[in-house]
Amino acid sequence: MMKILFVCHGNICRSPMAEFVMKDMVRAAGRESEWEIASAATSTEELGNPVYPPARRKLAELGISCAGKTARQMRSQDYARYDYLIGMDTWNIRNMLRICGGDPQGKISRLLDWTAQPGDVADPWYTGDFDATLRDVKAGCAALLERIK
């Protein structure tokens, strides 16, 4: 079983979007039983809160539900549990490395580093542009799925 944890600052926008887009892609490929996919935050700011309403609406436009998802914080134990820990931006990566005490097995990367155009996933909390975030998330998840089949 392949285990992936998507991580962003608050776990209410980008990382849940990536979690549920990836779950949808895996389900569409008929490979749902081969994957464990989750998301978490590097901060404690949003713990227990549901997915941010504009992110929920953007997923719903694709027919994807994120019902029941609440923000949780990444823990150091997640490093041993997951095969891949995928951050949304450089700042997330710095915090993930701090939480995990480093990355001796090379499990931590940015989502868009899996694509032909590496970079940070657009943060809709600041931009308000959930379309750009969804484009980045879909591109990153598709590339990730293709590369780690």
Side-chain angles (χ1 to χ4, degrees), residues 34-84:
E34 301 170 28
W35 297 77
E36 178 182 322
I37 302 164
S39 63
T42 59
S43 77
T44 59
E45 294 171 25
E46 299 289 345
L47 297 184
N49 289 336
V51 176
Y52 191 53
R56 255 193 335 260
R57 287 192 293 274
K58 194 52 57 183
L59 290 170
E61 288 175 13
L62 300 176
I64 300 172
S65 171
C66 58
K69 170 66 182 172
T70 58
R72 78 152 179 101
Q73 188 174 26
M74 182 183 179
R75 300 175 302 272
S76 61
Q77 306 91 294
D78 289 328
Y79 193 84
R81 177 179 178 157
Y82 291 94
D83 301 303
Y84 297 92

